[in-house]
Each structure stands twice: as C-alpha cells, then as structure tokens.
Amino acid sequence: MKKISLTGIKPTGTLHIGNYFGAIKPALELAKEYDARYFIADYHALNTVKERAELSALIRQVAAGWLASGLDPEKVIFYRQSSVPETFELTTALMAFTAKGLMNRAHAYKAAVQDNIEKGDDPDAGINMGLYTYPVLMAADIILFDSDVVPVGKDQVQHVEMAQDIARTINFNYKADILKIPQAAVQESVAVVPGLDGRKMSKSYGNTIPLFAPEQELRRLIMRIVTNSQAVEEPKDPETSQVYLLYKLFATPEEREALAARYRRGGMGWGEAKEELFRVANRELTPIRNRFNEIIADSKGLDETLARGAEKARRIASQTVSRLRKAIGINF
Ligand code: ADP
Ligand code: TRP
C-alpha cells in the first residue's frame, strides 16, 4: 500500500511562480511516489474573499493552475474542499477536542491580533471565527483522508502540528488508533522564491510574477526586478542577485554554471542577465500558460474533472467519518 500525500491551496489570489516552485511542483513530485489527494481549499478562502464573482473565478483559476502544471486527475484525486461535506462534519467533531488555547497560539490569528493592537484597534477587530478556527478546518482536511504526509511551506507547519495534536487527543480519549497522525513534509531544498522587490514573493506584497503572465507581461515584470547600481564591467556575486536566484529555478545545471561564471567575470550588465532570465522563464512557462488558457476556456470540462474528483474523495471521506461516528458513540 502506498502512503498518502495530501495538500490544499487556498484560492485567494492569482497563482505566482512562488506558489509554483514552493508548493505545486514539489507536491506533483511527491505524487509520483504517494497516493496523492490535492484540493482547492475554497471554504478557507471564504474567510477573506467575500466577493462572489471573484471567489468563483479564483477557484477555477487555481484548479486550472494545478492541471496546467501537470496534475493528472486520473492519478491524483483532485477536488474542491466544498464538494466534500464530510469535511464539515469532521470539523464539528474535532472542535469538541480542540482546546481554545490551542487556537489562541496560531500564528495567523496572533499576527492579526498584534496588527490590531499596533493600530490601536480592538484586538478582535476584523477577525472572524473562520480565521480563528482555521486550523481545525485544515486538520479536518488532512485527517479525513488518512494522510501520511502533508507537503507545505514552513508557514503551515504549525497547522499540521495542530492537526497531530487534535488527532492524538481523540485517539487518547478513545484508547484506539482511530485517526492517522500526519507529518508535514517541508521541502528544505526549495528556498523562498524572491519577489520583484527582493522580499519573499507574495500576493500580499504585490511583488509577484503571475504563473500565467502573457509573454509581454512576463518580460515587463522581469525588467522591473530590483538590482543594485554595480556597473556593467564589475564582477558580480550571483548568489546575492534576485535575478540569478530566479534564473536558478528555471535553468539547467549547465546554464546555471555558465551564467554564474559570467556574473563573476564581470562585463555583463543587469539588462543582459534579465534577458537570460526571461529566456529560460518563458521556455518553462509557455507550455503551462498555453495549457492554462485551454483549460480555463473549457469551464464545463474543468467542472466535470472536479466533480469526478469529488466523487472519489467522498468515497474515502465517508468511510473516515463513519469510523469516527462509531468510535465516539454517535452511531451504534
Ligand atoms: P502568498 O504568500 O502569495 O499569499 P500563499 O500563502 O497562498 O501565497 O501560499 C500558497 C503556497 O505557496 C504555500 O504552500 C506557500 O508555502 C507557497 N509559497 C508562497 N509564496 C512562496 C514563495 N515566495 N516561495 C516559496 N513558496 C511560496
Ligand atoms: N492553509 C493552507 C495554506 O494557506 C491551505 C490548506 C488548507 C491546506 N487546508 C489544507 C494545506 C490541508 C495542506 C493541507 O497554504
């Protein structure tokens, strides 16, 4: 029996190459060895996206993004969280075993409170219960599918640890291994992808390169990457250059070495380095962009793919929920 890998992406913004290299690509790599279950965390997105048309569009975009990046829905169970209502039943059961204090310690919630305090607002201003109980819904996503590993970025490790905590509390209470204890799989080798301004690429910083940017836009964004004022003739350090760090993600090992050598030798200006980056980025992104455009144009086909995935997902989910119902005494 293969082990199970599960992860979700919140449809809260347009996918960017940070999401691609930091989340999508490593998850698809894991899907070669594991039984993979990958989903769109649409109810998690509802905490922040309150505009109807926007949420619908983002759900489709993120789904098309996974498929365009190479997810094979015949091999990976691929679905929307909202299509698996067992998630919400499990959430309710998990709530009964989740200490309120545990939620108080969640980084995202704490950061929102801290932000309010710094602004002189009420500590709870703008914080909904969806944000507060976010880790319980995420624990349900994970536990529902008997997940062994959860590929996530470092920021999500605490949430996976909370899922472990909650599952252990239930197993301990009923003195049985009812729920599987998941492990976070953080890809140490995938560094944080830098954004146009040198900070972490993130939709909240507005410094992203969208995964599906049309060619012209891709070039324009690459030309905007912040560089220092070193002159053309000066030797440059590749490892401290955003342009090179991005180049490394797209280039072959030989290309990487060759460009690093040109940096160190001097005589190459930033404009030229950016042209090289554009060339390799466009080479990798063009087929993804083309597939994305095809998938997004066929919304009926996309919806059917997601519906087939949901059916498979529910078959597994209903087994977990009925196992739990029996164990806790709701079904007898
Ligand atoms: P954003 O920071 O743009 O809001 P999310 O928090 O929605 O992105 O991230 C979705 C997934 O993509 C997470 O697994 C996260 O770790 C990964 N990710 C996002 N930005 C980056 C980045 N700059 N480098 C590496 N991985 C990233
Ligand atoms: N919280 C994750 C994020 O922000 C998204 C997510 C929701 C998730 N449920 C999950 C990730 C379950 C892994 C497993 O990126």
Side-chain angles (χ1 to χ4, degrees):
M1 275 258 289
K2 279 191 191 169
K3 293 203 166 191
I4 294 160
S5 157
L6 172 139
T7 198
I9 286 197
K10 264 182 318 189
T12 47
T14 301
L15 291 175
H16 52 73
I17 62 172
N19 301 139
Y20 176 67
F21 286 107
I24 297 178
K25 241 187 154 179
L28 292 177
E29 206 48 49
L30 270 186
K32 293 177 183 162
E33 274 174 64
Y34 287 76
D35 267 340
R37 283 112 209 231
Y38 296 157
F39 70 97
I40 318 296
D42 43 8
Y43 266 116
H44 274 119
L46 184 63
N47 291 322
T48 49
V49 186
K50 301 284 202 302
E51 226 271 292
R52 180 183 185 282
E54 191 193 359
L55 184 58
S56 304
L58 285 171
I59 291 169
R60 284 222 170 91
Q61 257 191 42
V62 171
W66 274 101
L67 294 165
S69 303
L71 183 146
D72 177 354
E74 298 302 319
K75 296 201 178 118
V76 174
I77 302 184
F78 182 56
Y79 57 97
R80 294 169 55 174
Q81 179 189 44
S82 59
S83 307
V84 185
E86 288 79 5
T87 306
F88 312 107
E89 179 172 351
L90 181 57
T91 301
T92 301
L94 300 186
M95 289 278 188
F97 295 88
T98 304
K100 176 170 174 282
L102 188 68
M103 298 298 95
N104 291 341
R105 289 196 289 277
H107 298 319
Y109 167 71
K110 272 172 55 178
V113 170
Q114 194 51 38
D115 215 38
N116 283 333
I117 293 172
E118 274 162 25
K119 282 190 294 194
D121 285 346
D122 183 285
D124 287 334
I127 299 179
N128 58 49
M129 286 302 287
L131 173 66
Y132 188 58
T133 61
Y134 187 109
V136 190
L137 179 56
M138 180 158 160
D141 293 331
I142 296 170
I143 290 168
L144 192 57
F145 290 92
D146 295 325
S147 312
D148 293 289
V149 297
V150 184
V152 282
K154 284 198 187 77
D155 57 319
Q156 297 297 313
V157 170
Q158 187 197 31
H159 289 150
V160 180
E161 287 168 355
M162 289 181 167
Q164 296 175 338
D165 234 47
I166 300 168
R168 281 202 194 100
T169 304
I170 292 182
N171 289 348
F172 180 77
N173 185 78
Y174 297 101
K175 301 191 173 42
D177 289 334
I178 305 161
L179 305 175
K180 197 182 274 179
I181 311 298
Q183 303 299 329
V186 182
Q187 286 252 329
E188 295 297 339
S189 60
V190 181
V192 170
V193 177
L196 301 178
D197 58 0
R199 290 187 291 173
K200 169 188 183 251
M201 185 176 289
S202 170
K203 59 182 168 275
S204 17
Y205 297 150
N207 63 357
T208 66
I209 299 180
L211 186 52
F212 317 112
E215 200 167 307
Q216 298 265 315
E217 158 103 344
L218 179 63
R219 174 190 290 275
R220 192 180 60 78
L221 291 172
I222 287 174
M223 295 305 154
R224 263 183 43 198
I225 296 172
V226 175
T227 51
N228 63 22
S229 55
Q230 278 179 298
V232 171
E233 61 275 11
E234 281 182 70
K236 299 175 179 67
D237 176 15
E239 295 302 331
T240 58
S241 149
Q242 314 317 331
V243 178
Y244 185 73
L245 295 178
L246 288 167
Y247 183 81
K248 276 209 312 200
L249 295 166
F250 293 106
T252 64
E254 297 76 42
E255 286 172 329
R256 273 183 230 162
E257 269 187 37
L259 192 70
R262 289 184 66 195
Y263 263 75
R264 294 196 188 97
R265 210 181 302 136
M268 182 183 62
W270 293 120
E272 227 181 305
K274 287 176 176 180
E275 279 300 339
E276 274 303 296
L277 169 58
F278 170 73
R279 185 181 64 78
V280 292
N282 198 42
R283 181 178 71 194
E284 179 153 348
L285 298 180
T286 297
I288 299 178
R289 182 196 307 131
N290 291 344
R291 276 197 300 274
F292 176 81
N293 289 334
E294 277 167 31
I295 295 165
I296 216 77
D298 175 19
S299 56
K300 200 160 157 276
L302 178 57
D303 293 348
E304 279 167 11
T305 301
L306 289 166
R308 276 197 302 277
E311 223 178 281
K312 293 183 215 165
R314 286 200 71 183
R315 247 176 272 145
I316 302 167
S318 65
Q319 288 173 15
T320 313
V321 166
S322 79
R323 190 169 84 222
L324 184 73
R325 277 170 158 254
K326 279 201 193 98
I328 64 181
I330 295 250
N331 274 9
F332 34 79

